[in-house]
Amino acid sequence: MNKGIFITIEGGEGAGKTTLIEQLAHTMQQRGKTVITTREPGGIPIAEQIRSVILDCNHTGMDARTEALLYAASRRQHLVEKVVPALADGQIVICDRFVDSSLAYQGHARGLGMEEVWSINRFAVDGAMPQLTIYMDIDPEVGLARIRAAGEREVNRLDLESLAFHQLVREGYRKLLEQFPERIVKVDAGKAANAVLEEVILTIDRRFKGFFAADVQ
Ligand SMILES: Nc1ncnc2c1ncn2[C@@H]1O[C@H](COP(=O)(O)OP(=O)(O)OP(=O)(O)O)[C@@H](O)[C@H]1O
Ligand SMILES: [Mg+2]
């Protein structure tokens, strides 16, 4: 699958993931790269149906492990239908959240256990892991304030979790950074969006040996 480049963007609510992905894709396209941006379930009907089962308000009795398995199933379908073919075609795929979100949110913050959640996700992704994950680190209070200030999107179920929950998510991501230092790179997401973009471009250039270099004057 590895003709292309698979990059995932992670971080808590309001870290600036969507903002970064738009700017990064734009920068890459300007420099002649073929890039697709996606997020689970990514418009894949099977994955969307699985997701609607998870989100159905009538399913109040859903067990936490059932939920984790369904997320992994949805992830699998999006991966094989959209991500893997694009990579095989030599494209760059930038995905807004991936396995690390399940590990940080459900594994750590919800307390299912990162190892347990990783074991089902390892089965789901079957080796198709990103070559690089950008972790956008931010104080949850700052991230949530950005979302409230912008008022661009509905406040969702996760935003309404306690601040303590979001602190746990951050702790989960930091554990992942320690566990996967080769794959995950932390970026200070509290900086201005342009400074974040610049840092990420440098990281990508370093990681993929001159990815942008040909275009740098
Ligand atoms: N570096 C930044 N500094 C200040 N504000 C920012 C920065 N990056 C993004 N924002 C603003 O913060 C808000 C949230 O950003 P964005 O939607 O990109 O975050 P996200 O990580 O995708 O959030 P979500 O958890 O909702 O998916 C937006 O209004 C965006 O314009
Ligand atoms: Mg977003």
Side-chain angles (χ1 to χ4, degrees):
M1 73 152 211
N2 273 338
K3 268 169 65 190
I5 296 177
F6 185 20
I7 298 172
T8 58
I9 310 296
E10 293 281 355
E13 267 58 38
K17 300 177 295 296
T18 303
T19 304
L20 171 70
I21 288 172
E22 279 172 15
Q23 295 177 336
L24 191 56
H26 182 69
T27 305
M28 287 181 176
Q29 279 157 357
Q30 274 185 328
R31 300 186 188 192
K33 314 284 182 192
T34 311
V35 51
I36 68 160
T37 62
T38 189
R39 60 181 309 159
E40 298 165 344
I44 303 301
I46 294 171
E48 279 182 359
Q49 283 200 38
I50 296 169
R51 191 62 77 95
S52 71
V53 172
I54 301 172
L55 299 179
D56 190 326
C57 294
N58 296 316
H59 295 168
T60 51
M62 187 175 293
D63 170 74
R65 287 183 182 223
T66 305
E67 185 184 68
L69 287 160
L70 288 172
Y71 271 122
S74 172
R75 170 164 303 135
R76 169 78 190 159
Q77 195 63 33
H78 170 253
L79 188 69
V80 296
E81 268 196 51
K82 194 165 182 180
V83 177
V84 171
L87 293 172
D89 191 38
Q91 298 185 38
I92 300 152
V93 179
I94 308 176
C95 190
D96 192 337
R97 295 190 181 278
F98 193 59
V99 283
D100 300 298
S101 286
S102 288
L103 301 176
Y105 282 76
Q106 299 177 282
H108 190 70
R110 286 244 188 270
L112 275 183
M114 291 174 93
E115 279 304 317
E116 281 82 350
V117 175
W118 172 234
S119 69
I120 58 170
N121 276 280
R122 189 169 46 211
F123 175 72
V125 305
D126 193 24
M129 284 294 283
Q131 286 109 307
L132 174 67
T133 296
I134 301 292
Y135 164 52
M136 305 188 72
D137 186 48
I138 196 155
D139 179 340
E141 280 189 81
V142 175
L144 292 169
R146 280 181 184 173
I147 287 172
R148 276 194 299 269
E152 282 163 1
R153 70 156 168 80
E154 295 270 307
V155 170
N156 68 29
R157 199 161 52 91
L158 279 176
D159 301 330
L160 296 175
E161 287 284 347
S162 67
L163 195 57
F165 175 83
H166 294 287
Q167 298 287 10
L168 281 173
V169 169
R170 191 183 201 191
E171 197 177 278
Y173 275 125
R174 288 177 165 185
K175 283 177 184 288
L176 289 165
L177 263 172
E178 280 171 29
Q179 209 178 333
F180 303 104
E182 304 288 304
R183 173 173 65 83
I184 308 178
V185 175
K186 182 175 99 168
V187 172
D188 174 5
K191 301 191 296 192
N194 280 350
V196 173
L197 176 67
E198 223 167 89
E199 188 177 335
V200 171
I201 286 174
L202 279 177
T203 300
I204 291 172
D205 202 41
R206 225 175 283 132
R207 180 63 58 102
F208 301 104
K209 309 245 182 322
F211 182 88
F212 288 107
D215 309 289
V216 174
Q217 302 300 314

